[in-house]
Amino acid sequence: PSGIVLAIEQDQHNNLWFSSVDGGVTCFNGKSFKNYSFQQLKGGNLAHCILQDRKGTLWLGLDGSGLLAYKNGKFSQLTLHDDFASNTVYSLFEDRDGSLWIGTNGNGAFRFDGTNLTHFGIKQGLSHGVVYDITQDMKGDIWFGTYNGVSCYNGEKFSSYYKKDGLADDMVLCIVEDSSGYLWLGTNNGLSVLSQGRFLSFTEKDGLINKGIMSLVKDNQHQIWAGTRNGLSRIMFHPD
């Protein structure tokens, strides 16, 4: 891959997939690289996110061209919803039931159960139409980080939370739950954690290297790492 790399995913065969701004999508099998050009991506001009589901399908969230599936060496576009094919897809997440959740730039979120595509937007209770990240907590609730707050869907209705409720900022870019059940939210202006029903927030004065949190990950040692606009921070949280 060349230029700015937007996404990386490791598939079930240990191949690494890279999406870059000016190089399409590239697969590395440990020995050699294979590039798939924009023309091969069914008109998609770049992929913001990549995810392989438990059935082995590799999904690519495209810029302005919806969602692309790669299976058995072939690409195909998901076209089950009239409004979907022209969406820019920012985030992908597979829940514990095997449904694929899709976050878009302005049209809310979609759930694909393998057959049906269901739309969740502001009318359904989502806090904003731009969805940067999606995850599922231990209780099974689905969380959406958006341009304006974070929304939680319990299977029936949405609850949304904002800066006025204790978030560090209304722009929530990434979400991860730790092994203790604390939900961490990276925002444009600091890091927040949902602990015992309330949000606590942290910035540089609390030890973060930078308050612009771009990514969050839990490693296999159950530690939370925050990728920021100016370096990396390891999170050590003791609620007591």
Side-chain angles (χ1 to χ4, degrees):
S2 60
I4 299 171
V5 176
L6 297 172
I8 305 173
E9 174 79 344
Q10 186 175 34
D11 68 21
Q12 295 170 351
H13 302 291
N14 292 323
N15 299 313
L16 287 173
W17 292 80
F18 306 88
S19 168
S20 62
V21 169
D22 55 0
V25 172
T26 302
C27 179
F28 178 60
N29 64 7
K31 296 180 179 179
S32 60
F33 291 90
K34 183 176 181 180
N35 182 259
Y36 298 90
S37 67
F38 296 146
Q39 289 75 23
Q40 291 171 288
L41 297 182
K42 303 293 184 182
N45 54 354
L46 63 91
H48 287 283
C49 48
I50 309 173
L51 173 76
Q52 186 175 50
D53 66 23
R54 64 192 68 176
K55 295 180 180 178
T57 300
L58 193 78
W59 298 94
L60 293 85
L62 302 180
D63 189 274
S65 300
L67 194 64
L68 204 62
Y70 180 77
K71 184 80 171 179
N72 298 323
K74 296 182 179 179
F75 289 101
S76 59
Q77 194 167 20
L78 186 66
T79 56
L80 295 178
H81 192 285
D82 291 342
D83 296 333
F84 185 74
S86 62
N87 274 284
T88 289
V89 175
Y90 274 164
S91 52
L92 293 169
F93 176 77
E94 185 182 21
D95 69 20
R96 63 186 62 170
D97 296 325
S99 292
L100 183 70
W101 291 85
I102 306 155
T104 75
N105 179 23
N107 201 19
F110 292 82
R111 181 181 62 200
F112 180 54
D113 63 6
T115 304
N116 299 306
L117 195 65
T118 306
H119 180 235
F120 298 87
I122 295 174
K123 289 183 179 180
Q124 287 74 33
L126 195 63
S127 62
H128 197 274
V130 176
V131 179
Y132 295 115
D133 199 14
I134 306 172
T135 197
Q136 186 172 33
D137 66 21
M138 292 179 181
K139 296 186 296 182
D141 295 343
I142 305 293
W143 291 81
F144 305 84
T146 82
Y147 183 82
N148 185 34
V150 63
S151 292
C152 176
Y153 180 64
N154 66 3
E156 297 180 357
K157 63 179 181 178
F158 284 88
S159 301
S160 294
Y161 308 94
Y162 306 90
K163 186 175 181 180
K164 64 182 178 63
D165 300 307
L167 283 176
D169 192 69
D170 281 327
M171 184 183 290
V172 179
L173 300 172
C174 45
I175 315 172
V176 69
E177 187 180 40
D178 67 21
S179 55
S180 299
Y182 296 112
L183 195 74
W184 294 89
L185 304 100
T187 81
N188 201 41
N189 196 40
L191 179 68
S192 297
V193 61
L194 181 59
S195 171
Q196 300 176 352
R198 66 191 184 101
F199 291 102
L200 305 174
S201 293
F202 310 94
T203 61
E204 289 99 337
K205 64 181 177 62
D206 303 297
L208 282 177
I209 195 168
N210 185 271
K211 65 182 179 180
I213 311 298
M214 307 303 294
S215 59
L216 290 168
V217 68
K218 179 177 70 174
D219 67 19
N220 57 12
Q221 302 298 315
H222 308 295
Q223 297 183 105
I224 301 296
W225 296 83
T228 80
R229 296 185 187 276
N230 188 34
L232 184 68
S233 290
R234 186 179 66 174
I235 309 305
M236 303 177 70
F237 180 59
H238 304 286
D240 297 333

